[in-house]
Amino acid sequence: MDDDTREQWLARDFEQQRPRLRAVAYRVLGSAADADDAVQEAWLRLSRSDTTEVTNLAGWLTTVVGRISLDMLRSRSSRREDSWDAGLAELVAGGAVRTAPTQPTRPAPDPASEVELADSIGLALLVVLDTLAPAERLAFVLHDLFGMPFEQIADILDRSPAATRQLASRARRRVRAADADAAAPARTRQREVVTAFLTAARGGDFTALLEMLDPDVVLTSDEAAVAMGSPEVLRGPEAVAQRFNGGARSARLAAFDGGIGAVWTLRGEAMVAFRFTVDDDRDIVTGIEMVADRARLDAMEIWFLTS
């Protein structure tokens, strides 16, 4: 078989495995962009390797993606969650988008699949990913979510199967604890208030927006958001409700910085985060901060939620 034919066969087989590999990387890394990078690196390693003795390509590739993801977890200093969307012109405008070439050609983001991936994480795994060590995280994801044998995971982690089993067990206990924590009344009420606010904004329900805003509510924007067209400060429910009325269609419910808010992304890059301050006793919004500063966005742990 000549080199061109071999590469065509490899590319075909790889594309068949891409959705599962991306799902594995996404759940380990918590970022669609990082997951795509991990999958592309797996392709590069496949194209450079002699796979004539490989009898289980799917398992081989999963192992490679696992190792790449583990290296990324250990080395990165910040993480960003990507999403789907193409605009939030009613609130902010413009913004540069960075792109990078890939091989084989990376499929264009599919909104439905992005939502499915994001929703599969949930608040429990959000807490796990924030607290677990990389080895625990990988062991939990690969075994509990994808059914990989501990013996295979142990090879990735360079540990014994027994030690790997313990890593997954510790992670599992934290997931269960996170399930209970996610149901805490304050967090649940904050999520409900922000969800209701976004629903009213998208539906143009001005009266409902007013009812959810404190009489002294303040909307503030950082310098980057102001440069994109947002006012620096808006005070009072009338002004804030008018700003959001009929808008926010492209913003998605998200958890970040220890609270619940919303994030707008443009072609896979977070552009604006909306930080909500909620009075849990009265179930109303007392403040909204629009964050568009690139450094602050890149440093955020952003997780998209089901609204």
Side-chain angles (χ1 to χ4, degrees):
M1 182 184 299
D2 59 41
D3 291 342
D4 289 341
T5 302
R6 174 183 176 276
E7 184 167 338
Q8 290 175 4
W9 279 81
L10 283 178
R12 183 204 62 181
D13 293 343
F14 182 83
E15 289 305 314
Q16 291 176 350
Q17 298 297 326
R18 182 189 287 272
R20 184 176 187 279
L21 297 175
R22 187 170 185 266
V24 170
Y26 185 89
R27 285 158 177 80
V28 174
L29 296 167
S31 163
D34 287 348
D36 285 335
D37 289 342
V39 172
Q40 287 305 118
E41 177 61 26
W43 159 253
L44 292 175
R45 295 190 186 186
L46 174 64
S47 65
R48 297 166 183 164
S49 301
D50 181 2
T51 56
T52 54
E53 301 299 324
V54 175
T55 58
N56 181 359
L57 183 62
W60 188 90
L61 285 170
T62 301
T63 298
V64 170
V65 166
R67 286 172 175 157
I68 294 169
S69 299
L70 183 62
D71 289 341
M72 293 174 71
L73 281 177
R74 287 170 170 168
S75 64
R76 67 187 176 188
S77 59
S78 63
R79 177 173 61 192
R80 182 181 70 255
E81 176 67 62
D82 294 309
S83 176
W84 55 278
D85 243 310
L88 194 56
E90 65 272 18
L91 295 179
V92 292
V97 178
R98 295 188 296 271
T99 59
T102 59
Q103 182 181 353
T105 302
R106 179 183 299 170
D110 172 51
S113 67
E114 295 291 340
V115 173
E116 181 181 357
L117 283 176
D119 289 347
S120 70
I121 295 296
L123 285 175
L125 198 51
L126 160 65
V127 177
V128 170
L129 292 174
D130 281 344
T131 60
L132 292 184
E136 290 177 329
R137 190 180 313 186
L138 189 73
F140 169 76
V141 170
L142 291 182
H143 180 267
D144 285 51
L145 301 187
F146 290 92
M148 180 180 286
F150 283 119
E151 291 75 11
Q152 189 173 350
I153 303 172
D155 288 339
I156 299 174
L157 295 175
D158 195 24
R159 303 194 185 196
S160 69
T164 303
R165 190 184 300 272
Q166 287 299 315
L167 290 172
S169 179
R170 287 201 298 267
R172 198 176 302 116
R173 288 195 295 269
R174 294 195 186 185
V175 169
R176 291 168 181 166
D179 274 326
D181 182 69
R187 181 69 172 259
T188 300
R189 289 305 300 151
Q190 184 184 22
R191 178 171 179 168
E192 290 175 353
V193 170
V194 176
T195 298
F197 183 90
L198 293 176
T199 299
R202 293 163 183 158
D205 191 338
F206 189 74
T207 300
L209 286 174
L210 287 176
E211 292 175 351
M212 284 184 282
L213 294 171
D214 184 84
D216 297 318
V217 66
V218 178
L219 169 69
T220 60
S221 304
D222 65 13
E223 291 183 3
V226 171
M228 296 167 72
S230 177
E232 183 175 1
V233 179
L234 283 178
R235 301 182 184 277
E238 291 275 349
V240 174
Q242 188 62 50
R243 185 67 179 174
F244 284 88
N245 191 38
R249 294 184 182 88
S250 302
R252 290 193 61 209
L253 188 70
F256 56 90
D257 288 354
I260 304 296
V263 174
W264 167 50
T265 67
L266 178 63
R267 300 174 187 172
E269 184 171 29
M271 302 302 293
V272 179
F274 300 84
R275 300 178 59 175
F276 282 74
T277 302
V278 175
D279 185 320
D280 295 323
D281 294 328
R282 295 180 293 159
D283 291 338
I284 61 174
V285 177
T286 59
I288 303 173
E289 180 187 7
M290 295 178 63
V291 179
D293 180 77
R294 184 75 267 149
R296 292 179 65 187
L297 290 174
D298 287 345
M300 284 182 180
E301 302 277 352
I302 301 175
W303 300 88
F304 292 96
L305 309 174
T306 305
S307 58

